[in-house]
Amino acid sequence: MTDATFDKVTMFGADWCRDCRRSKALLDRLGVDHDYVDVEADPSAADRAEAISGRKNIPVVVLPDGRHLVEPSDAELQAALTASGVV
């Protein structure tokens, strides 16, 4: 994992990724203020996501408290957002 910190929820994903679309839709539905980083539009973003997660899988969702999730289910993502005080 990298030492990068994020002021708000940040999601690394791609438009072609079904799990990314699902996670982004949940963030939108819950009204979570978040940054979306498209790894296709910014090739260096894929490297950043891999540095954070240690994996090549997306989505990578980084919470302001430094925790991250890779390919979370909606239930996992919502629980993490709740536990971190985001929602």
Side-chain angles (χ1 to χ4, degrees):
M1 178 159 164
T2 180
D3 290 332
T5 58
F6 298 87
D7 293 334
K8 61 182 171 181
V9 174
T10 302
M11 182 181 135
F12 294 85
D15 291 342
W16 52 261
C17 171
R18 183 176 17 171
D19 289 334
C20 298
R21 291 192 309 264
R22 181 183 42 76
S23 291
K24 186 170 184 335
L26 178 65
L27 293 173
D28 290 341
R29 196 167 48 251
L30 295 174
V32 174
D33 182 25
H34 66 281
D35 285 330
Y36 177 76
V37 181
D38 186 336
V39 300
E40 291 289 310
D42 178 2
S44 69
D47 293 335
R48 289 175 53 213
E50 184 177 357
I52 291 165
S53 68
R55 298 169 56 186
K56 291 190 179 288
N57 305 61
I58 53 173
V60 174
V61 181
V62 185
L63 304 176
D65 66 8
R67 291 185 295 153
H68 71 274
L69 299 97
V70 181
E71 295 182 317
S73 68
D74 283 354
E76 291 169 330
L77 180 53
Q78 187 162 359
L81 292 167
T82 301
S84 67
V86 174
V87 293

